[in-house]
Amino acid sequence: MGFSEQVNLSLRLLDASPAWHRVCELAEGLDEDLSRQVVLAAADISENLLLPLNGPADAAGCRIENGRVKVPDAYHAAWAGFAGDGWLGIDAPEDLGGQGLPLALQAACQMLFDRAAIAFGMLGGATRSAVFVLDAHAEEPHRSLWSEKLLTGEWSATICISEPDAGSDLGRVRTKAEQGADGTWRVTGNKCWISYGDHDMTPRIGHMLLARTGDAASGTRGLSLFLVPNTTDDGAPNGVTAERLEEKLGLHGSPTCVMRFEEAEAILIGKLNNGLPQLFAMIERMRILTGCQGAGLALASLDLALAYAAERKQGGAPAEPPVPINRHADVQRQLAEMASRSYCLQAFLLELGAVLDLSAKHPDAAVRAENADLAAFLLPIAKNFGGFTGFDTASRAIQIFGGAGYTREWPVEQYLRDARILTIYEGATGMQALDLLHRRLWKDEGKGLKIFAERMRADIAAAEAAHGGYAAQTESVLSRFLALGVSLTEQQAERAKAEYGADAFLNAAWSAISAWMGLRLITVADDNAQLAAAGRLRIREADIAIGESVARTQIPADCFEAFREEG
């Protein structure tokens, strides 16, 4: 499945989504032809402009020179072409210069961009995501000025949260913002793990930064959100410095910076001490972006493995010529497992994009709220298993290639390196598991989970006539997942015991979603034997995995407590 085939599958999967059809009913002028034109154009720019960057940028890397970060030379023309063609604003509001198209359509394009050059695409991901925070919370003229400059690619943006002693533990952020007598805010502190914290592709970089304001309370409630440009309005330096670049396993074409802010002029965004909730407009998009990054790498890895297995000849009867390795049962098994995971992830991210569209744009407040609850439940799962699937599929592709896959002759080793970070940044696996347990199951009283079950059961009912056996197996997976949710809900008083099962609950949620999307693959397969087989396999794998997850939540705590450091 090359770039054009990926387009066809994305459009087929969207067409099978009831949520997508509701989105199309709300979007004036959006039809199948327009959707196809947009995603085909994304495939074209991905294959012809972005893909040629990927290997050379990985080899060249980034460097600091005369106090500024230098990116691979080819990035400059690529950024001008990518941004100039409007790809940063696919789903951004039209009054800010965006195209106002659905997020689900943007997700279909994003998987193509990241399939081609994930490291390059990280700048665009943060830049476009920042627009939604500014649109929701910034005052004029900053809202319009910055949004329009970001969407044209003239300026760029980062998400600037982590500090040396405050990664996921944001309540310990120490960077401070103080307001002078003239009303100007100034930020001082250090931030780390900042992707594209500095670079030479745009003259101005705006850091969407969390800082503690004055004598504000400790914890996340004392954090405010600021836009901190690297230059002042007249182009002078603004006390923002990239101190060093991290030496990383992968994503060599994306500079990861340690940043220092010294009395840097800053623009307060929204209300004081309400920074983290406001920043979630950006974090939400960064999480689905991470899922799309994983899907792009998974689909690229799968395609390389399929092509290699069809061409590489080895084995067979000694007296006969060797046969392509895809004739061997174990290779067929590996390819099928890769395909089932990759295609289901692709289907899930498109579904999530449509749910997020309905949560933002449906005219009925009750429908918006329902889809917002569902999206909140699905996002931790998408973020984590997008990353997991990207890495796992790249690793499996290397296995198909054998020793050749371990060399730089083929890009699968780069895909493996690039994918490893995906289950770490934007909230590591453990954080996503705890979010699902504490917030989505306990605090929200499982509202999103109940809506998820309703949507999944509607699809099961629709598939019963044509695919009764697989529909029944999908229902079984869902029922066991819901029963696990009830069991963990009853354990709220035993918080530590339940938290030992949080990772298993996260995996169980993925099993249920996998079965749901596996059933969808079967329903859209038509005469595509590989797609139908991938769907059938995913349901069967989910049926096995859900049992394993339930069993893991029942492991006694004394198996873990010995690893608690004392003193």
Side-chain angles (χ1 to χ4, degrees), residues 443-518:
K443 185 179 178 181
D444 291 351
E445 298 180 335
K447 288 188 294 184
L449 172 58
K450 293 170 187 173
I451 298 162
F452 163 69
E454 291 171 1
R455 301 269 176 104
M456 187 168 167
R457 280 186 166 139
D459 276 11
I460 291 170
E464 278 181 336
H467 310 287
Y470 289 102
Q473 200 167 15
T474 301
E475 170 61 38
S476 174
V477 174
L478 174 61
S479 296
R480 282 180 285 167
F481 173 54
L482 294 174
L484 179 59
V486 171
S487 175
L488 289 172
T489 298
E490 293 171 349
Q491 296 178 32
Q492 290 187 64
E494 301 176 90
R495 174 171 170 155
K497 178 181 176 182
E499 286 182 346
Y500 288 130
D503 179 75
F505 183 59
L506 179 67
N507 278 272
W510 178 236
S511 295
I513 289 168
S514 294
W516 182 22
M517 293 299 113

Side-chain angles (χ1 to χ4, degrees), residues 30-232:
L30 179 64
D31 57 19
E32 184 178 349
D33 287 341
L34 177 58
S35 298
R36 178 170 292 277
Q37 289 173 19
V38 171
V39 188
L40 277 174
D44 180 70
I45 198 169
S46 297
E47 188 169 14
N48 296 304
L49 178 67
L50 304 185
L51 183 61
L53 303 175
N54 198 45
D58 179 67
C62 304
R63 66 191 188 278
I64 294 180
E65 188 176 291
N66 298 323
R68 292 301 308 274
V69 173
K70 302 293 183 180
V71 299
D73 291 340
Y75 274 15
H76 297 85
W79 178 257
F82 183 80
D85 285 349
W87 292 110
L88 293 171
I90 297 173
D91 60 326
E94 292 180 85
D95 69 315
L96 297 176
Q99 299 172 43
L101 292 170
L103 175 59
L105 208 58
Q106 194 280 332
C109 297
Q110 190 68 51
M111 286 184 267
L112 292 159
F113 302 152
D114 291 321
R115 172 195 181 113
I118 179 177
F120 173 84
M122 290 181 69
L123 178 60
T127 297
R128 60 171 286 275
S129 297
V131 170
F132 292 89
V133 183
L134 297 170
D135 182 41
H137 302 292
E139 296 181 357
E140 296 292 356
H142 306 302
R143 170 188 171 273
S144 296
L145 173 64
W146 272 89
S147 295
E148 291 171 5
K149 293 286 190 181
L150 293 177
L151 291 177
T152 61
E154 186 175 342
W155 297 349
S156 59
T158 76
I159 183 167
C160 202
I161 302 178
S162 296
E163 298 184 5
D165 296 317
S168 299
D169 190 1
L170 298 182
R172 300 184 190 277
V173 164
R174 292 184 293 182
T175 295
K176 284 199 169 186
E178 297 182 343
Q179 192 173 28
D182 62 354
T184 301
W185 286 95
R186 293 188 178 275
V187 166
T188 299
N190 297 289
K191 297 288 184 179
C192 60
W193 310 115
I194 310 304
S195 298
Y196 285 94
D198 189 50
H199 59 86
D200 57 348
M201 285 193 285
T202 65
R204 207 171 195 198
I205 305 167
H207 300 283
M208 303 299 298
L209 179 146
L210 288 178
R212 204 164 296 284
T213 45
D215 297 324
S218 61
T220 58
R221 293 182 181 179
L223 297 176
S224 299
L225 178 62
F226 294 88
L227 173 61
V228 186
N230 67 325
T231 64
T232 59

Side-chain angles (χ1 to χ4, degrees), residues 95-382:
D95 69 315
L96 297 176
Q99 299 172 43
L101 292 170
L103 175 59
L105 208 58
Q106 194 280 332
C109 297
Q110 190 68 51
M111 286 184 267
L112 292 159
F113 302 152
D114 291 321
R115 172 195 181 113
I118 179 177
F120 173 84
M122 290 181 69
L123 178 60
T127 297
R128 60 171 286 275
S129 297
V131 170
F132 292 89
V133 183
L134 297 170
D135 182 41
H137 302 292
E139 296 181 357
E140 296 292 356
H142 306 302
R143 170 188 171 273
S144 296
L145 173 64
W146 272 89
S147 295
E148 291 171 5
K149 293 286 190 181
L150 293 177
L151 291 177
T152 61
E154 186 175 342
W155 297 349
S156 59
T158 76
I159 183 167
C160 202
I161 302 178
S162 296
E163 298 184 5
D165 296 317
S168 299
D169 190 1
L170 298 182
R172 300 184 190 277
V173 164
R174 292 184 293 182
T175 295
K176 284 199 169 186
E178 297 182 343
Q179 192 173 28
D182 62 354
T184 301
W185 286 95
R186 293 188 178 275
V187 166
T188 299
N190 297 289
K191 297 288 184 179
C192 60
W193 310 115
I194 310 304
S195 298
Y196 285 94
D198 189 50
H199 59 86
D200 57 348
M201 285 193 285
T202 65
R204 207 171 195 198
I205 305 167
H207 300 283
M208 303 299 298
L209 179 146
L210 288 178
R212 204 164 296 284
T213 45
D215 297 324
S218 61
T220 58
R221 293 182 181 179
L223 297 176
S224 299
L225 178 62
F226 294 88
L227 173 61
V228 186
N230 67 325
T231 64
T232 59
D233 289 342
D234 60 4
N238 189 34
V240 180
T241 305
E243 291 192 319
R244 74 170 192 272
L245 297 181
E246 301 290 358
E247 297 291 336
K248 302 171 297 186
L249 174 68
L251 293 179
H252 296 157
S254 168
T256 301
C257 305
V258 176
M259 305 296 297
R260 184 175 74 252
F261 297 84
E262 294 181 298
E263 296 287 312
E265 286 188 21
I267 302 162
L268 176 66
I269 303 297
K271 298 178 181 178
L272 275 175
N273 304 330
N274 198 42
L276 186 56
Q278 293 168 171
L279 192 59
F280 260 93
M282 188 172 186
I283 293 172
E284 181 179 79
R285 278 176 165 75
M286 296 294 285
R287 284 185 173 174
I288 190 172
L289 169 66
T290 304
C292 290
Q293 290 172 329
L297 291 173
L299 292 165
S301 299
L302 170 63
D303 284 355
L304 284 171
L306 287 168
Y308 185 83
E311 295 174 1
R312 169 71 166 138
K313 293 182 179 180
Q314 191 161 348
E320 301 292 333
V323 299
I325 62 173
N326 65 7
R327 302 277 184 90
H328 302 309
D330 190 61
V331 173
Q332 294 168 12
R333 174 191 61 79
Q334 293 178 69
L335 292 171
E337 290 175 349
M338 293 166 64
S340 72
R341 288 163 168 78
S342 301
Y343 297 156
C344 280
L345 175 61
Q346 183 180 1
F348 173 44
L349 292 168
L350 296 170
E351 181 72 16
L352 175 56
V355 169
L356 285 163
D357 283 320
L358 293 173
S359 74
K361 298 178 180 179
H362 200 283
D364 187 325
V367 176
R368 290 199 304 274
E370 175 183 295
N371 283 278
D373 288 335
L374 177 57
F377 173 76
L378 296 177
L379 273 166
I381 307 164

